[in-house]
Amino acid sequence: MGLIQEYKDFIAKGNVIDLAVGVVIGGAFGKIVGSVVDDLIMPPVGMLLGNDFSAMKLTLKNAVMEGEKIISPEIAIKYGNFITVLIQFLIIAFVLFLVVKAYNNMKKAEAAAPAPPPASEVLLTEIRDLLKR
């Protein structure tokens, strides 16, 4: 089997398409969660702390300026932005946990449901019942 044919077979499988759809939806969901955290959750937190939370930082070295020109940029630990991104990650991880949990419960329900008998067995059972009468 040639490399091109293997590649076509790989792409044609449904799992690749499902993965691509998942990546696109995941990217969009990440933007939604980012907006919820940045625009809805963090502003009230920043208001309580008296500052824009995502802009909070610990400055290690101030910027060196010569007029309007920056000679040496500021060096800072941006812990506010880190905490904001961490909250976004925790929300996304929790939602993914719920999705995987629902998927696993659905799979358990499918496994627990008895499989219907094959059509030939049903037909043979009907014939047997008719012959008994």
Side-chain angles (χ1 to χ4, degrees), residues 7-60:
Y7 181 70
K8 286 180 182 178
D9 292 343
F10 172 74
I11 293 298
K13 290 184 180 176
N15 293 342
V16 174
I17 303 300
D18 293 342
L19 178 64
V21 170
V23 167
V24 170
I25 289 174
F29 181 71
K31 289 181 181 181
I32 291 170
V33 170
S35 177
V36 167
V37 172
D38 293 342
D39 302 331
L40 301 177
I41 295 174
M42 298 319 279
V45 171
M47 188 176 77
L48 290 173
L49 298 174
N51 196 356
D52 177 15
F53 190 82
S54 62
M56 293 180 132
K57 60 187 172 186
L58 176 64
T59 304
L60 301 175

